[in-house]
Amino acid sequence: MVVENIRSQIEGFSRPYEDALNVERYEFGRLKMIAGLAAVAGWIGTIRDVILPYLNGRFERIDHFLGMIGRGYLWGVDDSWEKSYLNDCLQEHVLSCANNTTPFEYIAIQFYADPKSYLIPIFSLLIVLLTLFTYFFIRRPAPFRVNRKLGAIYGWDLGQLWILPASEFEFIYKGEWDPLSFRFFTSGPMVVRLKNAKNPNKTRKFKLGGYPHRDRLHGKVLGKAITAFLKTSRTPDIIENAPKNLHLAWWKWAIFPVEKLPDDIDQRAEEWLRSQHKKKC
């Protein structure tokens, strides 16, 4: 009989078939949570400080910036900026205007006179847009695979294969301070250093496991379970009860579908292991 705490300790695992496990990427969950919280705060702030004042006719900064880029004398209707162009520019010749200055030239003259008044709002808008919409475009990365039959742990990241023979497998666990999951040095991810398949001398750390998790020492339990899975012929109970698929939590939703491992990744891993064996011989 499997008790509930054992089930919760294997969050981040899936068992597609008997001799292989897929392990979730820990960084994704945290990144998605941060982006989600930023999006909620951003939308609330935008509605309160921008949309509502503008609908009530009280947000003059937007009107001022739209006038600076041509509303009223190049496009659209704005009596104030139309007078600014016709009177201040063409008649009074402010900011080095002349009688024949065109609306496009008037915008360029204003820009050169005070470029910060253009650049700061544009960069601020880009930051706001990133805050509002980044969450929806962060898709879950492909998981890493622990293959007992091949004797390796491997995954795909940024178009490259990262791999480690089972004989060299070891994990690092260190509790971390993480207020997002309300954990304060009581838990953390399982960290594994894998080799680049094209350049085995190049290695990288990957954080694996479910995020957020419900149990203390989740990363440590996960690492020990993977170690047992790789070194034993019998699947331990903690692995047998792993879910068959890595379900995407509702708050991890994205516009793009979940990224998958390449169809031939097992073949690539097997070929790499074979090539390393030949080099040693």
Side-chain angles (χ1 to χ4, degrees), residues 7-208:
R7 288 184 184 275
S8 63
Q9 286 176 339
I10 53 174
E11 288 176 356
F13 260 174
S14 74
R15 180 165 48 91
Y17 43 88
E18 185 177 354
D19 286 314
L21 301 169
N22 284 346
V23 188
E24 197 172 338
R25 296 282 291 274
Y26 185 88
E27 301 101 318
F28 163 75
R30 177 155 43 196
L31 182 63
K32 197 73 172 177
M33 184 177 288
I34 292 173
L37 293 173
V40 171
W43 279 105
I44 292 174
T46 300
I47 293 172
R48 186 191 66 182
D49 298 332
V50 178
I51 296 177
L52 292 179
Y54 184 72
L55 293 177
N56 293 327
R58 293 187 289 104
F59 201 75
E60 297 179 356
R61 282 181 292 175
I62 288 181
D63 293 320
H64 179 72
F65 184 73
L66 292 177
M68 290 169 59
I69 60 175
R71 189 177 73 173
Y73 54 93
L74 183 60
W75 57 273
V77 178
D78 190 306
D79 294 336
S80 177
W81 278 94
E82 182 180 6
K83 292 177 182 178
S84 175
Y85 171 64
L86 296 176
N87 298 336
D88 298 345
C89 181
L90 298 186
Q91 295 183 20
E92 301 296 332
H93 299 164
V94 298
L95 298 177
S96 303
C97 281
N99 293 334
N100 59 349
T101 298
T102 66
F104 279 110
E105 290 172 338
Y106 185 44
I107 294 173
I109 289 172
Q110 293 180 93
F111 175 82
Y112 284 112
D114 186 12
K116 288 191 298 183
S117 62
Y118 282 84
L119 297 177
I120 291 177
I122 290 173
F123 281 115
S124 298
L125 177 61
L126 290 175
I127 292 173
V128 170
L129 291 176
L130 285 174
T131 300
L132 296 179
F133 297 104
T134 295
Y135 167 83
F136 303 100
F137 292 92
I138 301 177
R139 62 189 292 190
R140 185 174 70 181
F144 277 71
R145 179 162 293 172
V146 182
N147 194 318
R148 179 168 56 188
K149 186 176 181 180
L150 291 182
I153 175 172
Y154 48 91
W156 193 260
D157 189 65
L158 299 177
Q160 294 184 315
L161 175 67
W162 298 84
I163 186 170
L164 191 71
S167 59
E168 300 178 25
F169 173 75
E170 60 180 2
F171 70 93
I172 302 170
Y173 170 78
K174 183 179 180 181
E176 61 179 12
W177 185 78
D178 184 18
L180 286 174
S181 64
F182 301 100
R183 297 285 180 185
F184 302 95
F185 299 105
T186 59
S187 195
M190 180 198 81
V191 181
V192 60
R193 184 177 287 277
L194 303 181
K195 298 179 180 180
N196 184 289
K198 293 183 178 179
N199 180 12
N201 293 323
K202 180 181 178 181
T203 63
R204 236 182 84 188
K205 288 182 179 179
F206 293 92
K207 295 181 179 180
L208 306 180

Side-chain angles (χ1 to χ4, degrees), residues 229-249:
F229 179 76
L230 286 171
K231 295 183 178 180
T232 60
S233 59
R234 175 183 173 276
T235 305
D237 291 341
I238 196 170
I239 303 296
E240 289 177 348
N241 293 285
K244 295 187 183 301
N245 296 296
L246 287 170
H247 296 291
L248 194 65

